[in-house]
Amino acid sequence: MPARRLDTARTDALAMLRRGLLTALLFSAPLPGAADGDASTTALSAELGFEAEGSGTTLTGWGGGPAETLFRDKTIRHTGAASARIERTGEREDSYSSLTRALPATIVGSDVELRGFLRTEGVEGAAGLWVRIDGHNGTLAFNSMLVEARALEGDHDWGLHAISVPLADGARELFFGALLSGQGKVWVDDLALFVDGKPIGEAVHREIPTTVLDIEKEFEDGSLVELASLDHARARRVAMLARVWGFLKYHHPRVTSGESHWDYELFRILPQILGATSDEESRELIAAWAISIGEPNPCGACASESSDKPEDLYMPAPIGWIRDSSSLGAELSGFLRRVHENRPVSNDQFFVGLAPNVGNPVFDRELAYRDQIAPDAGFRLLAVIRLWNIVQYWFPYRDLIDEGWDEVLIDELQRFAAATDATRYKLALLRFIARIGDTHANLWSSLDARPPVADCRWPVHLRFVSGQPMVVATDTARTRLDAGDLILGIDGHPIEELIAAWSPYYAASNEVTRLRDIAHAMPRGPCGASQVRVLRASGARDVRVKRVRPRRGWRPAAADRPGRTFQRLSPEIAYLKLSSVKAAEVPAYLKRAAGTAGLVIDIRNYPSEFVVFALGQHLVAEATPFARFTIGDLSNPGAFRWSDPVILQPAAPRYEGRIAILVDETSLSQAEYTAMAFRSAPGAVVVGSQTAGADGNVSPIALPGGLRTMISGIGVFYPDNRATQRIGIVPDIVVRPTIEGVRQNRDEVLESALRELLGSDVDEAAIRRMARRD
């Protein structure tokens, strides 16, 4: 994908969120007490330097919390009269404190940077600066010193620190400040904001346009829809409304131009449909409501699904149902057909756009309704209807969904009607999203809601090996589990029973990826003792294992090789792992690999930087296509068209040896795209096992309750139109770790690649020595 892609696996912030850190900062509503941002430059400077006098220790212009952990300190400061201090004790039950300031995001530029001086004392946890950009639907961009692994621990004297974040399209609010997780003290002083390297006072400002979303407030406090259950008959009626609502959202000019607050229109008609006593009455109500939106004006230049190149159409729009007058009734069917026939050629829509230079859909005007923490019935149904229609019209892999999507809608409407508290609502969303069958599509804001739910875990890393969950790494000082243990049961429950119960909540493109994520979560549970039945080489036994809070700094073993990014395994073999690759270092890697018989490129990871072209151009001898995309059509919602192939252009120096590319279930998205590119090199082979099967730039989607999911936003295929979604990158040489191999600390995938590169005459003992992980 292009270098600016936003990808779920790429984002270290999401990895931190999986460990329960910074959830509120990244996904929740603005913290109470944040200022409205209309202060003059002079007043703002005083507030950023904590010079503005408040009442006692109050920090003027600042919010955040908990309030009892925030102070204005006149004794310890960097310059001026005062600083801000965040102070936490070990007795606190909450996990962090934040100092927060808010400004309207009216600035024009590429990125905004927060600089400031920090001092710490006795920090057991992490302290640092953070910046967040919000749009209509919640967070658009976030960064912090914790995300970048530059957080401060222990004791530090005053030092200058900085953190930046891109100014995302659709930005409306800028939030920034400092935070402290764990316990200790951090002082903050002399903060300053910069836009593209210049002080914010010198930045060009823009006017944030007012839309119908800003003006209409009728349902701000609730949908006024009351519902605790939904029988099948009423669910079918609501499903018909949902399909009509979604069709009009992306086709009717009054809606596509932004004249109507479309969520609120749903709330206006929903009670009538829920109160209908027959299918006929419901059809009549839906028809009257839809027609009241207005007849479409005849279009001057009407859109058409056909084109000069009919072969460019990959998937047609799913609109055949609007012609079914027997189900819809003649009046409603006729109106929907007129709307469709009079849709103009469109390069833009109010509720959806296409990302520049890429083409994945952008849903930056879908409201998150963050105050609806436990959404009322109307907002719960909105969550289903919004996401269902986004998948229906903008998911490039709609044709790969296992179930009938219409039946899924009816089923989920019933499930969400019964999800009457926040926990059940999140679980309902997790199940619904999992039915899409896309690893990118997860409830990224609430992964901790997936079972097993708890704050503690065994200090081990699990992986499915030969179809069984296996301990592959341990924090040996803290557990009685050993690397090589197979997990047979937990607290009296057979492991097969637990996997079956948890699986519906784990979104994945394929089963190996679902099991990968279940293995990561399996150690979780209540803090304290647990009983684990394991199978060792000596036989099955029960082990008492204590679950503890994760120890800061301990990381599970990676699938790739430990050590440096580039390694010479022998005079004949070079090794490069992409988990720490640097695009700027590619010339150095090539120089060190020159003259070797083979190069192993390990992508059993997520690339630290985008090197598809920076490295790939040195692997091919001629212009080489390696992928093509399918992209949604704004004029024909639901239709997807082929792009031109993506090509690697050769560049000197060219690596002349053979290439082996290592992949497994940890190879996701950009990793898969990179493997596609590199396997196009002459003679390259892919070695390993099925990858995650989720490719394409991601499109974030806000959901009621301040929650968030994503979908793969463009389809990614080989140049001959072979699919990659769900299938993943199919290895040329299939190799999976074995139980015995893991117990012997062998890297069987790398061993196989070395045999392929060096030939069958190479001594097997030499192969094993080169491939050993230690």
Side-chain angles (χ1 to χ4, degrees), residues 164-215:
S164 63
V165 70
L167 272 169
D169 292 338
R172 300 182 70 83
E173 292 180 285
L174 165 65
F175 295 88
F176 58 92
L179 62 90
L180 171 62
S181 70
Q183 65 184 50
K185 301 176 184 178
V186 57
W187 287 265
V188 188
D189 205 357
D190 296 330
L191 295 177
L193 289 167
F194 294 81
V195 179
D196 296 341
K198 297 181 179 180
I200 193 169
E202 300 176 15
V204 175
H205 287 252
R206 63 181 173 87
E207 182 178 342
I208 298 177
T210 299
T211 72
V212 66
L213 304 180
D214 303 297
I215 297 169

Side-chain angles (χ1 to χ4, degrees), residues 47-48 117 162 165 183 340 413 435 445 464 519 521 577 698 734:
E47 291 172 8
L48 297 187
F117 287 84
V165 70
Q183 65 184 50
H340 187 256
L413 286 168
R435 299 175 82 169
S445 52
F464 275 79
K577 64 176 179 179
V698 298
V734 176

Side-chain angles (χ1 to χ4, degrees), residues 484-600:
D485 285 348
L486 295 173
I487 308 298
L488 302 180
I490 303 173
D491 292 330
H493 298 281
I495 201 63
E496 297 81 7
E497 174 187 306
L498 295 174
I499 292 170
W502 296 340
S503 288
Y505 302 99
Y506 283 75
S509 299
N510 51 42
E511 191 62 17
V512 298
T513 311
R514 191 184 327 277
L515 293 177
R516 178 201 71 188
D517 292 345
I518 289 175
H520 177 76
M522 193 175 291
R524 291 200 311 233
C527 298
S530 64
Q531 195 78 12
V532 185
R533 186 155 184 82
V534 301
L535 179 64
R536 293 176 173 165
S538 58
R541 60 175 296 182
D542 291 318
V543 181
R544 192 171 178 83
V545 182
K546 186 177 182 180
R547 292 192 185 95
V548 295
R549 295 188 184 277
R551 181 168 62 87
R552 182 171 174 80
W554 185 75
R555 296 289 183 270
D560 54 19
R561 184 177 174 83
R564 298 182 302 276
T565 303
F566 181 92
Q567 303 173 38
R568 284 290 287 263
L569 304 186
S570 76
E572 296 85 14
I573 298 294
Y575 171 90
L576 179 68
K577 64 176 179 179
L578 300 195
S579 57
S580 54
V581 72
K582 301 293 182 186
E585 296 296 318
V586 166
Y589 304 146
L590 293 168
K591 184 176 181 180
R592 295 179 65 189
T596 56
L599 171 63
V600 177

Side-chain angles (χ1 to χ4, degrees), residues 446-465:
S446 300
L447 288 183
D448 286 348
R450 295 187 302 194
V453 178
D455 295 329
C456 289
R457 57 183 293 130
W458 311 324
V460 303
H461 177 53
L462 302 183
R463 182 183 184 185
F464 275 79
V465 178

Side-chain angles (χ1 to χ4, degrees), residues 83 85 88-89 97 201 210 302 328 350 429 500 588 629 646 655 763:
S83 68
R85 184 178 83 252
R88 296 176 53 83
T89 65
S97 297
T210 299
C302 296
L328 296 173
F350 184 77
L429 279 169
F629 308 141
V646 186
Y655 178 73
D763 178 64

Side-chain angles (χ1 to χ4, degrees), residues 178-350:
L179 62 90
L180 171 62
S181 70
Q183 65 184 50
K185 301 176 184 178
V186 57
W187 287 265
V188 188
D189 205 357
D190 296 330
L191 295 177
L193 289 167
F194 294 81
V195 179
D196 296 341
K198 297 181 179 180
I200 193 169
E202 300 176 15
V204 175
H205 287 252
R206 63 181 173 87
E207 182 178 342
I208 298 177
T210 299
T211 72
V212 66
L213 304 180
D214 303 297
I215 297 169
E216 288 204 34
K217 301 295 182 183
E218 180 180 353
F219 298 99
E220 188 174 29
D221 296 325
S223 69
L224 305 182
V225 176
E226 296 183 2
L227 183 69
S229 63
L230 195 62
D231 60 33
H232 190 267
R234 288 201 298 167
R236 281 190 294 102
R237 296 166 194 157
V238 175
M240 178 182 288
L241 170 65
R243 298 183 74 184
V244 173
W245 180 89
F247 175 85
L248 294 175
K249 179 175 184 176
Y250 298 123
H251 290 84
H252 197 291
R254 278 201 61 199
V255 188
T256 60
S257 63
E259 294 179 39
S260 176
H261 195 311
W262 204 234
D263 292 350
Y264 286 7
E265 280 297 326
L266 180 67
F267 296 153
R268 293 183 181 111
I269 184 62
L270 251 178
Q272 299 178 53
I273 305 307
L274 290 169
T277 58
S278 68
D279 290 349
E280 182 178 2
E281 180 186 359
S282 177
R283 280 196 301 268
E284 291 175 354
L285 288 168
I286 294 172
W289 166 77
I291 293 169
S292 72
I293 306 301
E295 284 287 339
N297 294 323
C299 51
C302 296
S304 172
E305 198 167 275
S306 62
S307 67
D308 296 336
K309 297 180 179 179
E311 66 274 14
D312 284 350
L313 181 65
Y314 166 70
M315 188 161 53
I319 46 84
W321 62 276
I322 69 172
R323 302 182 182 91
D324 184 3
S325 57
S326 61
S327 296
L328 296 173
E331 186 177 32
L332 179 57
S333 175
F335 174 72
L336 298 180
R337 280 182 287 165
R338 291 193 298 277
V339 170
H340 187 256
E341 290 162 1
N342 288 285
R343 72 196 186 283
V345 175
S346 175
N347 294 318
D348 191 26
Q349 291 203 27
F350 184 77

